[in-house]
Amino acid sequence: MAVRAHLFLLFSSVLAMASVLGGGMAAMAGEPPAFSASATLRKIHDTGLITVGYRLSSPPFSYLNLDRQPVGYSVDLCRKVVQAVRQRLEMPDLEVRMMGVSSATRLPLVANGTADLECGVTTHNIERERQVAFSLTIFVASSKLLSRKDAPVLSLDDLRGRPVATTLATTSIQFLQAENRRRGLDMKILAGLYDIEGFRMVTARQAAAYAMDDVLLQSLLAEAPDSADYMIAPTPLTSEPYALVLRKGDPAFKRLVDEVLAGLYRSGEIQAIYAKWFQQPIPPRHINLQLPMSPALQRVIAHPTDSPDPAVYR
């Protein structure tokens, strides 16, 4: 009887504990975890790791400093997002893996989930929305032509039948290819893997001009010892709204990223971040681009948008 009574008490204790645990689980069921609505946040939570893609040589947005650490305007914005993810998931020790990407690999790596976020110089357009999603616009550039002053190129008409350089897997190469077909310009389009390769084609006179976003052209010239030998055509070819790249089909994660950016815009903190990279000396050569914020970007900060329509930014 004593043994039976002991077993009864033990069984009753187990039932009581199960009841407490069950109640706790039920309460938790009424309060879904912070990552439940987001596949990206769930992956980050379960792995304890967030992977951020960055460009290796696209100053002042995303590049390596002398210590081989990624820095830049876009990188700073991504770090703000990482802080918000740590807070949302209550994971202050969340590991951050910085992954170098190129213009050709950046979108596929986000699309397949290898990278959770890409911070570089990526233009948001409708065609790319088939593969990935985009944050609020973080910068507005214009694609232009860079050429030698002793052989100036002011428009695509000046490139008829001539070689023109650009960068692989960019909106600039897509634009050149489309205009080449549409207008029968017979241009020979040369593509480098990185921006510096396109510029070098012009310096070596392998190409008559280099087509790329104006801010990147200005950055290349700022570091060139013979920059006075080159010019950037004043007429823009296209408008290029830059954004952070996110996984497609995860509106909850996009909302988190957009809230971070919108908060920077509302608070005015974006002004200091912008000035740090565009109006002050930057590593490694302490060159100052002296580039004031454009009216188009000022409008974005006042009225945040994630529109891929170039007309919105004109």
Side-chain angles (χ1 to χ4, degrees), residues 24-271:
M25 292 298 290
M28 289 173 64
E31 298 178 7
F35 56 83
S36 62
S38 167
T40 303
L41 289 177
R42 188 179 306 116
K43 169 180 172 285
I44 294 169
H45 175 271
D46 293 347
T47 60
L49 172 72
I50 182 170
T51 302
V52 179
Y54 70 93
R55 296 294 293 274
L56 285 79
S57 56
S58 296
F61 294 91
S62 181
Y63 65 103
L64 293 173
N65 63 15
L66 290 178
D67 295 324
R68 306 295 295 172
Q69 295 300 310
V71 296
Y73 173 76
S74 301
V75 174
D76 277 2
L77 298 183
C78 278
R79 293 194 191 282
K80 294 291 186 181
V81 172
V82 170
Q83 290 176 11
V85 171
R86 282 186 167 130
Q87 293 172 357
R88 178 71 59 87
L89 298 180
E90 299 181 352
M91 298 176 70
D93 298 324
L94 177 66
E95 182 182 351
V96 181
R97 179 172 66 185
M98 302 299 290
M99 172 184 289
V101 300
S102 69
S103 57
T105 63
R106 54 187 168 174
L107 300 187
L109 287 173
V110 174
N112 68 21
T114 303
D116 302 306
L117 187 68
E118 191 266 345
C119 44
V121 286
T122 303
T123 297
H124 178 188
N125 62 23
I126 293 177
E127 180 180 352
R128 287 174 171 172
E129 284 184 347
R130 301 185 190 124
Q131 190 175 4
V132 294
F134 293 88
S135 71
L136 293 174
T137 299
I138 63 169
F139 191 85
V140 184
S142 297
S143 178
K144 293 184 178 180
L145 295 168
L146 177 148
S147 61
R148 301 184 68 95
K149 285 183 178 178
D150 60 7
V153 174
L154 299 178
S155 69
L156 291 182
D157 290 326
D158 294 335
L159 289 169
R160 188 177 295 274
R162 302 173 70 188
V164 57
T166 187
T167 305
L168 189 68
T170 61
T171 53
S172 292
I173 195 171
Q174 294 171 349
F175 173 79
L176 290 176
Q177 290 169 340
E179 289 299 293
N180 208 25
R181 289 191 300 268
R182 186 177 71 86
R183 299 171 58 181
L185 295 172
D186 194 31
M187 295 183 297
K188 181 181 179 182
I189 301 172
L190 309 174
L193 183 59
Y194 300 105
D195 297 330
I196 189 64
E197 295 176 3
F199 179 52
R200 285 172 179 162
M201 292 181 198
V202 177
T203 64
R205 299 186 186 272
Q206 296 172 336
Y210 175 45
M212 187 43 58
D213 300 348
D214 53 359
V215 63
L216 300 179
L217 297 179
Q218 290 166 347
S219 178
L220 287 168
L221 286 183
E223 297 199 23
D226 56 349
S227 60
D229 295 340
Y230 301 90
M231 59 168 285
I232 299 174
T235 305
L237 303 175
T238 61
S239 291
E240 307 288 332
Y242 293 171
L244 306 182
V245 184
L246 323 169
R247 186 187 303 181
K248 187 177 177 64
D250 193 342
F253 187 63
K254 172 176 164 54
R255 186 160 52 250
L256 181 151
V257 174
D258 286 349
E259 286 172 355
V260 170
L261 296 175
L264 295 175
Y265 297 172
R266 282 194 306 271
S267 69
E269 188 176 352
I270 191 65
Q271 303 290 342

